[in-house]
């Protein structure tokens, strides 16, 4: 269901298949998957044509692709599904508010940095 929600929001199926393998590799529990699914379902459904989304040094053509990247990033940083879900929700709120790209970069950068530092205090 998570991959279906993200592909509905523009994530390429190939990225979805890779994300599925990554999720299996990290052996997420059902409750963790539900956290990610709920966050994905809260993402805005894009209207066509969708403008590109800037996040740090990355540019994404769709909400789904950006969310897939956030989930993969969160798993690689061992943030936990709840924190990844929160980051995904924050991204959705920012997109819904239609903030300027630089505002988005600042807010997401701060949120990601905060989550990474709290998950791994040795990164300071």
């Amino acid at each position: 269901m998570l991959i279906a929600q993200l592909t509905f929001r523009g994530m390429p199926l190939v990225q979805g298949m890779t994300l599925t393998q990554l999720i299996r590799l990290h052996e997420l529990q059902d409750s963790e998957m539900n956290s990610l699914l709920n966050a994905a379902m809260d993402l805005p459904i894009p209207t066509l044509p969708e403008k590109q989304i800037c996040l740090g040094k990355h540019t994404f053509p769709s909400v789904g692709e950006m969310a897939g990247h956030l989930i993969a990033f969160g798993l690689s940083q061992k943030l936990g599904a709840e924190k990844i879900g929160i980051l995904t929700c924050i991204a959705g709120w920012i997109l819904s508010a239609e903030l300027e790209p630089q505002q988005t970069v600042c807010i997401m950068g701060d949120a990601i940095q905060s989550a990474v530092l709290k998950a791994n205090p040795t990164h300071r």
Side-chain angles (χ1 to χ4, degrees), residues 24-101:
R24 283 189 188 137
L25 179 69
H26 286 271
E27 299 177 346
L28 296 183
Q29 303 298 317
D30 287 343
S31 61
E32 294 172 311
M33 285 301 301
N34 285 337
S35 293
L36 295 178
L37 177 59
N38 289 335
M41 289 173 55
D42 285 342
L43 289 169
I45 297 172
T47 56
L48 296 176
E50 188 174 7
K51 64 180 180 181
Q52 292 207 330
I53 301 163
C54 297
L55 179 60
K57 296 179 181 176
H58 301 282
T59 303
F60 302 98
S62 70
V63 173
E65 194 166 333
M66 180 215 52
H69 178 79
L70 282 175
I71 293 168
F73 170 80
L75 291 173
S76 72
Q77 295 296 312
K78 299 181 185 343
L79 295 182
E82 186 175 308
K83 286 184 181 177
I84 296 168
I86 290 170
L87 288 174
T88 305
C89 285
I90 291 168
W93 298 331
I94 290 169
L95 294 172
S96 295
E98 297 181 0
L99 298 175
E100 293 299 316

Side-chain angles (χ1 to χ4, degrees), residues 96-107:
S96 295
E98 297 181 0
L99 298 175
E100 293 299 316
Q102 191 54 45
Q103 290 174 299
T104 304
V105 169
C106 292
I107 293 169

